Every structure is written in C-alpha cells, then in structure tokens.
Amino acid sequence: MSENSFSMPLEGIVPPLVTPLIDDQTLDLEALKELVDRMLEAGVHGLFVLGTTGECTSLSYSLRRQLIEEVCGMVQGRVPVLVGITDTAPDESVALTDFAKRVGAAAVVAAPPYYFGLSQPELVTYFERLADRLSLPLFLYNMPSHTKTMISVETVVALSRHPNIVGFKDSSANGGYLHALIYAFRDRPEFSIFVGPEEMMASSVLMGAHGGVSGGANIFPKLYVDLYHAAKANDKESIVTLQAKVMEISAKIYALGTYGSSYLKGLKGAMSLLGLCQNVLAAPHTAFGEADMEKLKRNLESIEGV
C-alpha cells in the first residue's frame, strides 16, 4: 500500500492511537514507535491519530503536526493513517489536512464543531463545505457526548452523497441508532461504518458494520483483531470467549472513579503499568493518583489470557 491511498470500504480494527507524552510539549518518540510497531505486528488495519483517545483537543498544533509526521514516517504506508481534524475553525481543519497529506496520511476524521450546537441542516452545510476544501477523504465522527450534537441517520445519508465523504465513525453508544444507520446503508457497502465503543464492536460487525476504532487495542491489539475476524467469520464460540475479555477490560480499566476522563486515565495508567508509555496526560487532564493507580494495578493483574 502506498501512502495517501487505501481501498474502500476501509474495514477492520483501526485503533485510536494514544499520544505518548513526556510532558505537555514533548512526545515520547521511543514509546510511540514501540506502540505503532506492536499494533502493526498484531495485524491492525489502520491507525487513527488525534482522536479522543489521542487527547486531540488538548495538544498544541505544533505537537499535533509532529505526531502526524512521526506516525506516518513509522507506518510507511503499510496501513492507512487517519488523522483527526475536529475544530471549531474550519480553516484549522483544512490546514491540518493539507499538512497530513504532505506527510503521508490517507484520510481525515472530523466530528461536528463543538461549543455552539448545530442543527441538522447546519451540519449538512458545514460538512459539505468542509469536504469541498479538504485534500484528503473525510470520515464523519459522531461523538455527541463531547460535541453536544448528534448526527442524525438522515444527515449521514445526505452527506454520504458527497464524493469526498467516504465513511462514518459512531461513538454514541446508541445501539438502536447504529443499527438504523447500518440498515440505511445496506445497499451502499462502499461507505465504511465504524463503531467507537469496543464493547459493541463484535455485535456491530455481525450486523454489517465495517470494523471498530477500539481504544483497548493500544494495550491488547491482538485481542481486538482476533475478535473482529471472529465476527467477520460468524464464529460464535470465539466471539463469546473474546467478547468476555473485552468486557472485563472495560469494567476493570475504564470504569474507575467518576471522572469525565476515567476512560483515558485508566487506559494510560494501565499502559504505564505495562511499560508501554508514561502516565502523563495532556493538560487540563491529570493522571490517576496513587490510590486509583493501586486499584488499577490490582485490576490489571487480575485480567488473564490477553
């Protein structure tokens, strides 16, 4: 696969890459390379940088550009690199896309602008105008808990007619909505539909989704790749076994405390305990304290067979 190219529909496990940090202004390049190599060796089908898991909104633009360039250089076109460009200023999204294209990214991903909520007609106008200006294909990103805006099924269908809008990632965790979306595209298999919540990935693929953007693949990449392949093959026995492990990870790593960022604190905390990256979150967020890390350590040690 060459840089800036990929076959549609994109399918499989496309992990939302954690951003390994030494501090707010410094990437941990050694950890980043080990993380990328580890996921590629496990057979992931793409990488998504600057998503929610990558702390996209907390990173400076200079750091975002460095991250994109480093990851594309490490991947060398072996899988597509998708880049998050969500912003409240369209010009920033366009500029980051142009940079990503120059260094070898294959596509970009954008959620609705946050702060002021947008109506569905405004979303259509916004994304159509943005897609017109982008130098890479665009995946839409539904993240209503963070943007205050739900992209309706009808809006996705309307936007899918734009030649530069090629897919959709749903992180609403709304099963009925996702099934309605899959049904709406039952005769459009070339339009990729990905699910964010990894707890729903296997069932979504069974229903016709193309894959998952599974944060846990930063820690256990082979587990999620194996679960995806089991779902594609309708291997129910394997699905049941692997899905139970995914649910255990969710309960023991992502659900500690009542923080809005519990998922991220748990994920990076677990990765630090496994020696995969430092336990550093970009401001304004902070890592788990000592008590929570002790709980996390016990929980992580109790997860077997991954």
Side-chain angles (χ1 to χ4, degrees):
M1 178 180 295
S2 62
E3 295 180 357
N4 291 132
S5 69
F6 63 100
S7 301
M8 287 303 297
L10 181 61
E11 299 181 271
I13 298 298
V14 182
L17 190 67
V18 160
T19 303
L21 295 169
I22 295 172
D23 57 45
D24 272 354
Q25 300 301 322
T26 312
L27 289 176
D28 186 337
L29 295 178
E30 182 178 349
L32 181 64
K33 186 174 191 315
E34 290 179 2
L35 189 60
V36 167
D37 287 346
R38 189 166 173 268
M39 286 196 278
L40 292 180
E41 288 169 8
V44 303
H45 304 84
L47 289 174
F48 174 30
V49 300
L50 295 175
T52 305
T53 302
E55 302 173 80
C56 55
T57 57
S58 300
L59 303 178
S60 68
Y61 268 91
S62 61
L63 205 60
R64 296 184 205 193
R65 288 182 170 86
Q66 183 190 5
L67 177 64
I68 297 166
E69 186 167 16
E70 292 287 351
V71 172
C72 288
M74 293 169 184
V75 171
Q76 289 291 305
R78 287 175 286 175
V79 298
V81 175
L82 280 60
V83 174
I85 59 165
T86 302
D87 207 293
T88 54
D91 284 353
E92 297 291 355
S93 296
V94 172
L96 197 62
T97 300
D98 290 343
F99 176 84
K101 182 178 182 180
R102 286 197 301 272
V103 299
V108 292
V109 184
Y114 44 90
Y115 198 78
F116 285 111
L118 272 69
S119 68
Q120 297 303 309
E122 287 174 315
L123 279 177
V124 172
T125 299
Y126 170 76
F127 278 121
E128 285 181 341
R129 289 177 177 175
L130 182 63
D132 284 344
R133 300 177 62 192
L134 295 179
S135 53
L136 287 173
L138 173 64
F139 285 77
L140 306 175
Y141 182 5
N142 190 42
M143 188 55 150
S145 63
H146 288 37
T147 64
K148 301 191 300 184
T149 301
M150 184 83 166
I151 308 175
S152 73
V153 172
E154 294 75 17
T155 294
V156 180
V157 171
L159 288 168
S160 72
R161 300 186 185 108
H162 193 290
N164 204 34
I165 297 176
V166 298
F168 185 78
K169 178 200 171 189
D170 178 43
S171 289
S172 69
N174 184 326
Y177 166 86
L178 181 61
H179 286 184
L181 188 77
I182 292 169
Y183 180 76
F185 283 90
R186 62 195 181 280
D187 298 321
R188 300 270 309 280
E190 76 285 354
F191 189 81
S192 288
I193 297 174
F194 280 81
V195 62
E198 57 208 60
E199 301 88 346
M200 300 171 63
M201 187 271 290
S203 60
S204 300
V205 170
L206 285 169
M207 291 300 297
H210 292 82
V213 184
S214 305
N218 285 276
I219 315 178
F220 306 114
K222 190 173 184 302
L223 169 65
Y224 295 88
V225 171
D226 287 350
L227 180 56
Y228 165 75
H229 285 301
K232 284 290 286 185
N234 198 23
D235 179 354
K236 292 185 174 63
E237 184 176 348
S238 295
I239 291 169
V240 169
T241 300
L242 297 170
Q243 179 70 20
K245 197 60 59 180
V246 168
M247 298 309 298
E248 185 180 9
I249 290 166
S250 177
K252 292 182 176 180
I253 293 178
Y254 306 152
L256 286 180
T258 56
Y259 312 97
S261 57
S262 282
Y263 158 74
L264 188 59
K265 290 176 190 287
L267 182 62
K268 266 200 166 173
M271 292 176 70
S272 72
L273 291 169
L274 294 170
L276 298 173
C277 70
Q278 298 187 44
N279 196 17
V280 177
L281 275 63
H285 300 294
T286 56
F288 273 146
E290 186 176 343
D292 283 323
M293 284 301 292
E294 281 298 321
K295 293 178 187 175
L296 184 62
K297 184 173 185 293
R298 291 194 297 271
N299 286 357
L300 188 61
E301 289 171 348
S302 72
I303 299 173
E304 298 177 359
V306 289

